[in-house]
């Protein structure tokens, strides 16, 4: 039997679930457009350490996630739960300020729902940011890591159960992180004089930090950094046909590689320290990734 054939009937539970989700996505996208206007070409997901990017924008419109049907409620410090549009380096950019996490108890369909809504709204690419623990010996707290690839060790997959008749589940992930955009990030780092390394991000489910034995194993697998997000969003974004970039702020050395225990307070403290550098790096990137005047002209400030 050809893959996906078993779900072809309109009354099949998988098909009904897919159609129900498609309706929810469409409704949320309509509400988002009503609240924020037409979609920009690019949207950014602002994880821990990157909320300063939103602060640097000339905001056009923003609304709480609670006003968009189907959006989850972020409950982790540093994740504001806002969606909107603003102007950065004279380019119109969408943003999700914060994200929901698998470890909060959400399923991956819920975690990735905002990405599907961005795609339905009309966004053509996403930049996914996060705070991560450094595994590679050349990564130190405060460094930026540009994602070249990832390892999914979350124990779940965001496309599980998706109706194969839509071509949906069998997504080619051989080039998740867009090569052209990675070149723009490298150029942005050179222009701003910042150190930017490239590597492989490994996603775990959390919320507990990893054991030293796990980190040693992850290093053997080729992981350069470890975190608890981003990978499900990247997979769904590629399923939706979006261009994807991933950027990590290294906030700590991974378990067994530092002289003190890991804490969320340390993660937030280091993330706060890189805020201004993240803004400069993002501004330099969007100048290269988006044409001048992308989205029109910023509104005049009275």
């Amino acid at each position: 039997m050809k893959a996906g054939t078993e779900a072809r009937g309109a009354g099949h539970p998988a098909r009904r679930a897919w159609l129900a989700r498609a309706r929810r996505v469409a409704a949320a996208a309509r509400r988002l457009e009503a609240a924020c206007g037409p979609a920009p070409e690019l949207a950014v997901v602002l994880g821990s350490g990157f909320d300063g990017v939103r602060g640097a924008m000339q905001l056009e419109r923003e609304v709480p996630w609670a006003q968009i049907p189907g959006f989850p409620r972020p409950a982790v410090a540093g994740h504001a739960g806002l969606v909107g549009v603003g102007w950065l380096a004279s380019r119109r950019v969408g943003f999700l300020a914060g994200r929901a996490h698998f470890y909060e108890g959400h399923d991956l369909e819920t975690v990735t729902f905002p990405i599907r809504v961005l795609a339905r709204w009309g966004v053509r690419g996403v930049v996914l940011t996060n705070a991560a623990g450094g595994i590679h010996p050349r990564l130190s707290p405060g460094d930026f890591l540009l994602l070249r690839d990832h390892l999914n060790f979350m124990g779940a997959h965001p496309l599980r159960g998706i109706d194969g008749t839509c071509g949906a589940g069998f997504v080619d992930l051989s080039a998740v992180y867009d090569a052209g955009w990675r070149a723009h990030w490298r150029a942005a780092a050179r222009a701003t004089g910042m150190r930017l390394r490239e590597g492989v991000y490994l996603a775990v489910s959390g919320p507990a930090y990893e054991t030293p034995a796990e980190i040693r194993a992850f290093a053997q697998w080729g992981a350069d950094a470890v975190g608890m997000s981003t990978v499900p969003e990247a997979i769904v974004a590629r399923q939706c046909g979006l261009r994807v970039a991933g950027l990590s702020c290294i906030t700590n050395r991974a378990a067994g590689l530092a002289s003190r225990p890991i804490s969320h307070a340390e993660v937030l403290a280091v993330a706060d320290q890189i805020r201004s550098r993240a803004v400069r790096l993002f501004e330099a990137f969007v100048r290269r990734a988006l044409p001048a005047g992308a989205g029109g002209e910023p509104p005049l400030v009275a």
Side-chain angles (χ1 to χ4, degrees), residues 208-242:
Y209 294 109
E210 306 72 38
T211 69
E214 288 170 335
I215 294 301
R216 291 193 296 271
F218 297 163
Q220 290 294 316
W221 295 351
D224 298 298
V226 62
M228 303 173 189
S229 68
T230 301
V231 166
E233 296 158 328
I235 293 170
V236 167
R238 290 302 302 136
Q239 183 197 31
C240 295
L242 303 183

Side-chain angles (χ1 to χ4, degrees), residues 156-274:
H157 199 283
L159 306 187
R160 179 177 178 270
I162 299 301
D163 183 357
T165 61
C166 301
F170 308 105
V171 179
D172 179 15
L173 298 179
S174 57
V176 175
Y177 301 96
D178 189 86
W181 274 7
R182 296 207 320 268
H184 288 322
W185 280 109
R186 291 191 295 268
R190 289 192 297 270
T192 54
M194 293 189 202
R195 183 168 64 184
L196 177 68
R197 303 199 185 278
E198 288 190 64
V200 176
Y201 174 92
L202 185 144
V204 295
S205 63
Y209 294 109
E210 306 72 38
T211 69
E214 288 170 335
I215 294 301
R216 291 193 296 271
F218 297 163
Q220 290 294 316
W221 295 351
D224 298 298
V226 62
M228 303 173 189
S229 68
T230 301
V231 166
E233 296 158 328
I235 293 170
V236 167
R238 290 302 302 136
Q239 183 197 31
C240 295
L242 303 183
R243 298 178 76 178
V244 179
L247 186 67
S248 296
C249 162
I250 303 302
T251 53
N252 56 278
R253 295 286 288 150
L257 302 179
S259 58
R260 60 181 182 274
I262 303 169
S263 71
H264 192 57
E266 175 191 10
V267 169
L268 293 178
V270 174
D272 187 62
Q273 294 168 14
I274 63 94

Side-chain angles (χ1 to χ4, degrees), residues 36-163:
C36 295
E41 183 174 338
L42 170 69
V44 298
V45 178
L46 300 173
S48 299
F50 293 93
D51 58 326
V53 174
R54 170 180 160 269
M57 289 182 178
Q58 182 182 340
L59 289 179
E60 183 179 307
R61 303 178 192 177
E62 69 174 18
V63 294
W65 282 22
Q67 293 187 19
I68 308 299
F71 268 43
R73 307 292 189 268
V76 178
H79 295 265
L82 298 167
V83 57
V85 177
W87 293 83
L88 186 69
S90 299
R91 276 74 169 171
R92 189 169 181 265
V93 177
F95 63 86
L96 296 177
R99 58 162 52 90
H101 298 83
F102 189 45
Y103 64 72
E104 295 176 61
H106 303 293
D107 58 30
L108 290 184
E109 181 174 333
T110 301
V111 167
T112 58
F113 185 81
I115 300 297
R116 296 190 184 280
V117 174
L118 291 179
R120 181 63 183 258
W121 184 28
V123 165
R124 298 175 63 185
V126 291
V127 177
L128 308 172
T129 68
N130 61 66
I135 296 176
H136 194 286
R138 295 180 66 187
L139 286 173
S140 301
D143 284 347
F144 292 110
L145 178 72
L146 180 63
L147 273 58
R148 183 179 65 243
D149 206 344
H150 70 236
L151 291 159
N152 181 7
F153 199 65
M154 299 187 80
H157 199 283
L159 306 187
R160 179 177 178 270
I162 299 301
D163 183 357

